[in-house]
Amino acid sequence: METKRPHNLAEQISAYLDGELSEAERAEVQERLESDPDARRLMAELRQVCHLVGSLPREHAPPEIMELVTAQIERHELLKDGPQAGYGVPRRRPRWGRIVASAAVIAMAASAGYLTFVSFRNPAATRTEERFGPVADAHRATPPEAPAERTGPKAAVKHKGPGYRDAEEPPAARPSPAGRSPQGPSQAVRVFEPPVAARMDEHVPKAPMTTAPAVEIVRAGRSGRVESEAGRRLPEVLAAKADGLAEGPNVQEAVTAVPPAAMADTPTERRTADVAPEQPVAAGSEEPADRLEIELAFGDVASRARAGREIVQLLNSLAGSVVARSDLPYGQAAKRLTPGAPARELVASQPERTSREPECEPGRDFAGERIVAHVAAASLPGVIARIERAAQRARTVHATAGRRVVTDWEQVRILADGYGRYATPPLPGDSPACTSLGRAAAGLPESQTEAAVATRTGGWRAKPLPSARSTVEAEAARREREDHRARAVTGMPLEGELGAKPLGELPKNTRTEVPLPMSQPCLSVAQADPDGSDAKTGKRKGGVTEWRFDRAAAGRPASGPTGTGRVPDRSPEPEITPAEDASLRLRVVLVVSPAPDGHPASAPLSGQRDRRLPATRPGP
Amino acid sequence: MTSAAAAIAIEDAVLVEQTRQGDVSAFARLVSKYQDRVFNTCCRLCGHAEDARDLTQEAFLQAFKAIDTFGQRSGFYTWLFRIAVNLSISYRRRNRREIRLSLHDAEDGEYAGGQAAGLLRHPRGGPSTENPSGPMQERETHEAVMAALESLEDEFRAVVVLRDIEGFDYRQIAEILGVPPGTVKSRLHRARMALREKLAPVIGAA
């Protein structure tokens, strides 16, 4: 007992300091303290330890915690009833899942067919007999309370087997559409016979339907037509969905607007209707298999990975409509980017591994700077808007996390092939990389490509200022972060970004320049016309482009210095001297550009980028 | 339980119930209420602000997902801290063998850059002209305490953080860690003895 005493005493003193002893224990410890100087010294030291630990400065949660949690909750709520999101490789649906899905599709088809059939048997449906003649006669010949009809879709599926027909269905009860069977009609069998659907297509006029819908199924077909079932008026339905898609507030809406492809083959009776040409859904549906390429070229590795994770998660949440894969292994493009450093130094920096890299192994997580996905055309606008928001959120979060990151040269480049309605034909002299504004134009040295200079062959070029940051720049960065944070909170894009207006409002066959945020000093980058004619703020004549720094666009007083100059085409080191208080932060947010068949932009990667990044492992 | 603690528990219970009924803003209030404490705890447990931010976020997200399973037998914050502590300990065990290379420069941890950030912090007259030895000594003490904390095993560091930094009592710590109160008492004693040994120079100097 005596040997345990020192240990017990220290433990009791520790608890005594915390006030966690009973009355008897406390009295015992106090008595010991009065008589034992070692015990008193021990208590003093333990008290000091407690004080030292307790005096550590309290860390306050970063302000973006709330935004992060809210965003995660939003995503959780969004995906709660939908497909589960995951990283990296899209999960293969288990076999039983496919079986169940197939059964569900069959059951849905049976239900739709049955309900359609019932709707045609409804006396309220006027002129049905005139339209379908013998079919309507067959309806009349079979009373509504016939057993075959009462069994509904379930029985209809059962009746599909030829054995059933031979055993239970008299041959005379079979349908009698032309060219099918000489026997008489039978409701249950007749409903699911393909020739009936064919006849429906032939005879049903394309006028808007007024029949009350028994079941609402709207789908975008690969033919570019939108099909409706059960007589729903299409224009209203599509307009509502198109509005939702254009705003892009809810991925789930975009998903529901694009039912699984399996539905396109359901053997149900259908009616087709042309979609008004101004419907974005119809326009996007012209090319149903859209290749969506997202290139992340901002910040450092961690911020790109964060954005990539968000985007891949978003894409994976659209399971069935999207197949996402990444092409570049994470970490190979790692660069240590230093704010204010010359672009050339950025490239010279060695890749640096961080503790976060193992979280992003290829095949398990987002694995690169480039994501290729195939998105159903109808959901493309909503998907793009969400991608931009996800990338923006990731940038914002990272920029305010107290880490050293570069946000000066941000860019998210999205190539949406086949997005024909808003397609822009490539201009002469454009390299593949230049089919969108921005990154890595042909002819620029790699040092400038790293800086993500918005450029175009023969057009405008800029480079970051090599000097150290000034307080003005730091203040501008702070304002920019606040803007981004405000956007992350409200979900509203800032003025000038593409997301601020529906894609449908973009001018056709023109490039779209996205101005910088109002708080950001900017360089007005004008695109010279390929034929050398006057452009908005620049002229290109004889291979030389004149430029000027647009102070008005930058929100600067008109009395300040205004830069002008002449830049030879393809000059490797263009000299652009902005006003002294302007940091050349070119920020191209989003450009949807065309990729016509055969155009080099359809290639996975341009050579320029391949040189900069090491060889890649193919994505899963 | 004091009246203030009871009031907090009741308020939390109301917010939890509202969250269960689909009111996300109620959960946002819970986040706002506890984010600093959870973040500070995660920060002291994992030793890295970046990781602590992610862990805090994950803790709140897990709490939201599991809010329906929260039986209200204990306080919400106790339950939340249990999630956060478990996440932090798991994370630390998972990443124990990793070599951490900070992206920060030793002399410059600010996003906006060292000089510029310094100028922004002292816009009118440059750096503070107060006696620099005081803050420097204090910082050294804090670094020593942090290093001593870092050297503790996870379970010992957890009890110290929860007791001496967050001020939980033994019963609450036992709930958070899922151990008997006697274990809390024992661990706390051993942790403090270890800290006393490691901080002997600091204590002696004081």
Side-chain angles (χ1 to χ4, degrees):
Chain A
M1 193 68 186
E2 190 64 26
T3 55
K4 285 186 175 180
R5 197 169 181 81
H7 175 267
N8 286 339
L9 175 64
E11 186 172 317
Q12 293 295 88
I13 289 176
S14 173
Y16 175 78
L17 288 173
D18 293 330
E20 295 278 353
L21 293 179
S22 64
E23 286 293 334
E25 290 172 329
R26 190 183 308 137
E28 185 181 350
V29 170
Q30 283 176 345
E31 183 181 348
R32 182 64 185 268
L33 288 173
E34 289 173 1
S35 61
D36 189 347
D38 290 341
R40 285 200 298 273
R41 189 172 62 249
L42 175 63
M43 187 182 72
E45 290 175 352
L46 290 179
R47 179 175 286 153
Q48 204 163 358
V49 167
C50 296
H51 173 72
L52 284 172
V53 174
S55 64
L56 282 174
R58 292 196 69 84
E59 302 286 345
H60 295 282
E64 70 270 15
I65 284 283
M66 176 68 79
E67 303 159 15
L68 284 168
V69 173
T70 307
Q72 293 273 12
I73 289 175
E74 179 188 353
R75 180 186 301 119
H76 175 262
E77 291 292 290
L78 194 66
L79 304 178
K80 193 165 53 178
D81 301 325
Q84 293 299 310
Y87 290 136
V89 186
R91 292 174 185 156
R92 185 179 177 85
R93 190 179 294 176
R95 186 167 185 167
W96 61 268
R98 292 200 297 271
I99 294 173
V100 171
S102 303
V105 169
I106 293 173
M108 191 179 300
S111 304
Y114 174 75
L115 292 171
T116 307
F117 170 71
V118 171
S119 69
F120 280 112
R121 291 191 69 254
N122 188 350
T126 58
R127 297 169 61 190
T128 302
E129 298 170 6
E130 298 175 13
R131 290 175 181 173
F132 303 110
V135 178
D137 292 341
H139 291 176
R140 195 186 310 163
T142 308
E145 59 274 16
E149 182 186 352
R150 286 200 305 269
T151 53
K154 195 172 179 180
V157 174
K158 176 183 174 185
H159 290 179
K160 286 177 72 176
Y164 171 80
R165 292 177 181 172
D166 296 340
E168 301 181 33
E169 192 79 7
R174 291 192 175 187
S176 59
R180 284 296 299 168
S181 171
Q183 288 96 5
S186 169
Q187 290 179 1
V189 177
R190 184 177 58 78
V191 169
F192 299 101
E193 288 283 20
V196 176
R199 289 178 63 247
M200 297 290 286
D201 280 342
E202 292 171 11
H203 295 286
V204 173
K206 293 182 178 179
M209 304 301 173
T210 55
T211 308
V215 57
E216 177 187 354
I217 300 176
V218 180
R219 64 191 184 192
R222 297 179 67 86
S223 63
R225 292 167 177 264
V226 176
E227 303 157 2
S228 171
E229 300 185 27
R232 182 69 181 267
R233 280 181 67 90
L234 283 169
E236 292 86 350
V237 175
L238 293 177
K241 289 186 179 296
D243 288 342
L245 288 172
E247 295 172 2
N250 192 331
V251 174
Q252 204 65 35
E253 282 189 16
V255 175
T256 54
V258 186
M263 288 190 64
D265 299 322
T266 51
T268 56
E269 299 172 356
R270 63 186 185 186
R271 300 168 181 170
T272 59
D274 290 327
V275 180
E278 63 273 12
Q279 297 283 353
V281 171
S285 301
E286 294 296 334
E287 298 289 341
D290 285 314
R291 181 172 180 273
L292 186 66
E293 178 180 329
I294 303 123
E295 178 180 346
L296 307 176
F298 59 87
D300 62 0
V301 172
S303 60
R304 287 197 296 269
R306 189 181 299 277
R309 280 198 295 271
E310 287 230 18
I311 291 172
V312 171
Q313 189 171 12
L314 167 68
L315 293 175
N316 285 341
S317 71
L318 308 177
S321 299
V322 172
V323 175
R325 66 184 179 88
S326 52
D327 284 355
L328 295 179
Y330 179 85
Q332 288 196 5
K335 295 284 189 299
R336 180 169 183 166
L337 305 183
T338 306
R344 201 174 303 279
E345 288 185 11
L346 305 180
V347 178
S349 300
Q350 293 299 313
E352 180 176 279
R353 295 187 65 83
T354 71
S355 62
R356 293 180 177 278
E357 286 192 17
E359 299 175 12
C360 305
E361 292 173 357
R364 187 164 65 88
D365 203 332
F366 168 65
E369 295 180 301
R370 187 165 162 277
I371 305 164
V372 177
H374 293 269
V375 180
S379 60
L380 195 56
V383 170
I384 288 178
R386 292 286 300 191
I387 286 173
E388 162 57 19
R389 286 176 58 188
Q392 187 60 59
R393 186 184 302 124
R395 284 198 301 253
T396 306
V397 166
H398 197 73
T400 55
R403 276 183 135 186
R404 297 191 65 168
V405 295
V406 171
T407 55
D408 301 37
W409 311 297
E410 299 172 337
Q411 187 177 11
V412 177
R413 174 183 172 220
I414 298 180
L415 279 176
D417 292 357
Y419 201 56
R421 180 170 175 77
Y422 311 113
T424 306
L427 298 178
D430 274 351
S431 72
C434 289
T435 52
S436 70
L437 269 181
R439 180 171 181 76
L444 280 178
E446 289 187 355
S447 58
Q448 293 193 16
T449 67
E450 180 60 34
V453 177
T455 184
R456 176 178 153 266
T457 305
W460 298 96
R461 296 168 182 167
K463 61 180 180 179
L465 293 176
S467 60
R469 284 184 157 206
S470 66
T471 54
V472 174
E473 289 173 309
E475 178 65 18
R478 188 190 62 78
R479 285 202 301 265
E480 183 185 7
R481 289 200 301 275
E482 288 179 355
D483 288 342
H484 289 178
R485 187 181 308 161
R487 186 216 326 270
V489 170
T490 62
M492 294 298 295
L494 291 178
E495 181 181 357
E497 291 194 8
L498 187 59
K501 54 186 177 181
L503 289 174
E505 296 180 9
L506 290 180
K508 194 175 180 181
N509 293 329
T510 56
R511 288 183 176 277
T512 301
E513 291 183 48
V514 184
L516 301 174
M518 294 304 292
S519 62
Q520 188 78 356
C522 68
L523 184 73
S524 173
V525 180
Q527 290 289 318
D529 286 350
D531 56 359
S533 61
D534 290 352
K536 186 168 61 179
T537 59
K539 296 179 180 179
R540 199 179 78 172
K541 296 177 181 178
V544 174
T545 303
E546 297 179 3
W547 62 272
R548 68 183 177 86
F549 176 60
D550 190 349
R551 297 187 60 82
R556 300 294 173 188
S559 59
T562 299
T564 57
R566 294 163 63 87
V567 181
D569 285 351
R570 295 182 179 277
S571 169
E573 293 289 340
E575 294 180 2
I576 295 180
T577 307
E580 68 278 2
D581 60 346
S583 60
L584 273 173
R585 293 179 187 171
L586 303 181
R587 184 161 160 275
V588 180
V589 177
L590 173 66
V591 172
V592 177
S593 66
D597 291 340
H599 190 272
S602 301
L605 275 178
S606 70
Q608 182 88 11
R609 186 160 181 77
D610 277 341
R611 281 202 306 275
R612 195 173 65 82
L613 299 177
T616 66
R617 275 177 282 177
Chain B
M1 183 182 289
T2 63
S3 59
I8 290 174
I10 292 173
E11 182 186 354
D12 288 354
V14 171
L15 292 175
V16 166
E17 189 55 35
Q18 289 173 349
T19 304
R20 283 176 173 167
Q21 293 171 0
D23 185 0
V24 178
S25 65
F27 190 77
R29 288 179 61 188
L30 288 169
V31 174
S32 174
K33 191 173 177 182
Y34 291 116
Q35 60 178 355
D36 280 346
R37 290 189 69 185
V38 172
F39 177 79
N40 188 58
T41 300
C42 292
C43 206
R44 296 301 172 218
L45 287 177
C46 73
H48 196 271
E50 278 291 308
D51 298 335
R53 189 194 63 178
D54 293 344
L55 289 168
T56 304
Q57 176 190 351
E58 184 63 23
F60 279 115
L61 185 63
Q62 287 199 11
F64 179 81
K65 288 178 178 176
I67 197 77
D68 289 334
T69 66
F70 172 50
Q72 307 226 21
R73 288 181 295 274
S74 59
F76 172 79
Y77 67 98
T78 307
W79 181 67
L80 177 66
F81 269 79
R82 183 171 191 167
I83 296 174
V85 169
N86 287 337
L87 281 173
S88 300
I89 292 177
S90 301
Y91 175 82
R92 198 174 162 87
R93 286 174 180 164
R94 208 168 49 237
N95 298 276
R96 185 166 290 168
R97 294 187 177 180
E98 286 185 5
I99 299 174
R100 185 179 297 281
L101 295 176
S102 175
L103 291 175
H104 298 246
D105 283 342
E107 70 280 4
D108 176 18
E110 292 292 330
Y111 154 73
Q115 291 183 10
L119 288 171
L120 284 178
R121 280 195 297 269
H122 308 287
R124 292 193 177 178
S128 170
T129 55
E130 294 176 1
N131 179 17
S133 63
M136 187 179 298
Q137 193 174 12
E138 189 179 14
R139 193 178 68 178
E140 287 176 355
T141 303
H142 289 161
E143 287 174 356
V145 174
M146 279 301 299
L149 266 181
E150 281 278 316
S151 67
L152 293 179
E153 292 288 331
D154 293 332
E155 55 266 30
F156 297 113
R157 186 171 56 256
V159 291
V160 171
V161 168
L162 291 174
R163 171 62 207 169
D164 291 337
I165 295 180
E166 293 303 327
F168 287 107
D169 59 29
Y170 284 12
R171 182 186 56 81
Q172 290 171 320
I173 297 174
E175 283 183 8
I176 291 172
L177 298 179
V179 297
T183 306
V184 174
K185 181 180 174 185
S186 170
R187 286 183 183 176
L188 199 50
H189 149 66
R190 292 174 63 185
R192 283 172 175 166
M193 294 301 282
L195 288 175
R196 167 178 168 250
E197 185 177 339
K198 294 177 187 301
L199 295 174
V202 179
I203 294 174

